[in-house]
Amino acid sequence: QINVMKIIWKLTNEVSPDVAPGPDFTAFDGQEVIGRVRQVEEGPERGLWLWTMTAGQPGPDAAHATSGRAAERGKAGRCLIQAYRKLLAHPTPARVAKRRLSALKQPRD
């Protein structure tokens, strides 16, 4: 069985009114915020896209990158999703339970 993840992207200022409008996006897995992708607008990194995974799990820090930079928005978004997939693949009890719940919610043919 293939579990297809549907990530929803929203402008960050629409979900967090305290954030100024701009090239800034928040990623959701269902109702859970998993991270942000935003463009640096000033300074030496101007134009780069920063990505940060905010979803986490209890225990030691992730063994993989949870933030980084990319030249393009799409690449930054893919890096965020890849980091999130690695997090979900880690077999903590909470993640195993979430995958089971997700599988139960899938419509049966």
Side-chain angles (χ1 to χ4, degrees), residues 2 4 10 13-14 28 32 35 47-48 51-53 57-58 66 71 74 77-78 80-81 84-85 89-90 93 100 104:
I2 297 173
V4 177
K10 297 181 182 181
N13 70 303
E14 291 179 1
F28 293 82
E32 181 181 1
L48 288 180
W51 65 271
T52 305
M53 183 176 68
Q57 64 188 19
T66 57
R78 288 188 295 277
L80 171 60
I81 292 169
Y84 182 60
R85 284 185 172 144
H90 192 274
R100 285 185 185 147
L104 290 172

Side-chain angles (χ1 to χ4, degrees), residues 2-89:
I2 297 173
N3 188 7
V4 177
M5 178 181 354
K6 184 170 182 177
I7 302 299
I8 304 294
W9 292 91
K10 297 181 182 181
L11 285 168
T12 300
N13 70 303
E14 291 179 1
V15 295
S16 299
D18 57 321
V19 175
D24 188 341
F25 302 87
T26 299
F28 293 82
D29 181 2
Q31 298 296 314
E32 181 181 1
V33 174
I34 64 168
R36 279 174 73 179
V37 170
R38 67 179 181 86
Q39 190 173 41
V40 179
E41 296 187 87
E42 298 178 10
E45 294 189 335
R46 183 175 189 220
L48 288 180
W49 288 86
L50 305 179
W51 65 271
T52 305
M53 183 176 68
T54 55
Q57 64 188 19
D61 291 338
H64 59 278
T66 57
S67 65
R69 292 163 176 71
E72 300 164 357
R73 184 179 79 192
K75 171 74 172 162
R78 288 188 295 277
C79 289
L80 171 60
I81 292 169
Q82 182 179 26
Y84 182 60
R85 284 185 172 144
K86 287 179 182 178
L87 175 76
L88 291 179

